[in-house]
Amino acid sequence: MNAKTNSTAAVFMLVGALVACAGQNGGRDLVPLKDRQRVFSTHGFSFLPPQQSGWLEKFAKNEITYFKEADPAVVSLYTQAIEGEYPNAPSTEAELVAFVRSKKDDWGREQGRYSNTSSSIAIEESEKSCVSYRVSAHDRAATNKGNHEFLVLQTAGRFCLHPETRSAGVDIFYSVRHIPNFDATALVTEGESFVKSLQFQTPPK
């Protein structure tokens, strides 16, 4: 990934497709998050890194990921932004929703792993080039579930085509897993702030 941070802005270039909902912290190349200035994309997207304390960041070729420091035996939270070029992007709202649903609401890839699944996926009223999604499930094969039968998985985010070009898209989301009966409200609030920070700028010529 082409990424750099200076005194005025961080610039990222992400090339890739949508990622699955259930990513894990690989533990490699993680560094404490220090620069909380807005991150700008060469495709005309920008967002704010998590603004609270206790976050780590990881830059890769096709993604920027932030991990919340927490006890993995109880809860884990990460946020992520991925940008890609979509020369054959969906041309209608229905096609855009179907595209996102195919990536975010597919629980059959690992038979028997997920139960109690639910999803809400819809075009945003205020920005028709964006789809908001919220999915949840009981993850019965999470690596850190310990003696629990499952962990509760919640993922929410936005997939947006750039409203001016519609040839580039960004997937910005958070994902939290926690033991049953854990109150994840505060962590969800941090994740929601990250997702809501997405803005659009006119892409450079």
Side-chain angles (χ1 to χ4, degrees):
M1 180 184 71
N2 256 337
K4 65 178 180 180
T5 303
N6 55 36
S7 60
T8 58
V11 181
F12 72 98
M13 174 64 180
L14 299 169
V15 181
L18 287 165
V19 296
C21 300
Q24 295 288 338
N25 180 350
R28 297 184 300 171
D29 304 320
L30 291 173
V31 297
L33 173 61
K34 296 180 179 180
D35 188 350
R36 288 179 168 80
Q37 299 179 78
R38 181 163 288 274
V39 178
F40 290 88
S41 156
T42 56
H43 282 310
F45 304 105
S46 70
F47 64 87
L48 285 171
Q51 299 296 293
Q52 299 80 5
S53 61
W55 283 89
L56 306 173
E57 65 181 343
K58 180 178 180 179
F59 291 84
K61 182 179 180 181
N62 66 338
E63 63 193 38
I64 298 177
T65 310
Y66 303 97
F67 295 96
K68 183 73 172 181
E69 294 181 302
D71 181 356
V74 178
V75 62
S76 62
L77 167 67
Y78 75 97
T79 67
Q80 194 168 62
I82 295 181
E83 182 185 68
E85 295 182 358
Y86 295 87
N88 298 312
S91 58
T92 68
E93 293 180 12
E95 289 175 349
L96 185 57
V97 169
F99 173 74
V100 174
R101 185 176 298 280
S102 72
K103 304 297 182 181
K104 297 298 183 178
D105 196 21
D106 179 9
W107 303 102
R109 288 168 295 179
E110 298 180 65
Q111 291 293 331
R113 175 168 183 170
Y114 300 105
S115 63
N116 291 65
T117 60
S118 67
S119 64
S120 173
I121 301 174
I123 290 286
E124 295 182 3
E125 289 297 322
S126 59
E127 181 51 73
K128 298 298 186 179
S129 66
C130 291
V131 173
S132 289
Y133 59 88
R134 189 175 301 275
V135 298
S136 64
H138 290 173
D139 185 352
R140 299 181 178 278
T143 57
N144 58 329
K145 70 183 182 69
N147 294 326
H148 297 280
E149 184 180 354
F150 60 85
L151 295 185
V152 178
L153 166 66
Q154 303 176 66
T155 299
R158 307 170 71 193
F159 176 78
C160 298
L161 296 175
H162 196 287
E164 293 183 30
T165 66
R166 297 188 68 87
S167 61
V170 63
D171 184 27
I172 183 169
F173 68 96
Y174 68 88
S175 185
V176 59
R177 278 186 183 81
H178 58 81
I179 61 176
N181 301 317
F182 176 82
D183 184 0
T185 302
L187 295 178
V188 168
T189 297
E190 293 190 45
E192 292 285 349
S193 295
F194 174 74
V195 172
K196 291 176 181 177
S197 73
L198 177 66
Q199 293 180 0
F200 306 104
Q201 291 81 38
T202 299
K205 299 296 184 180

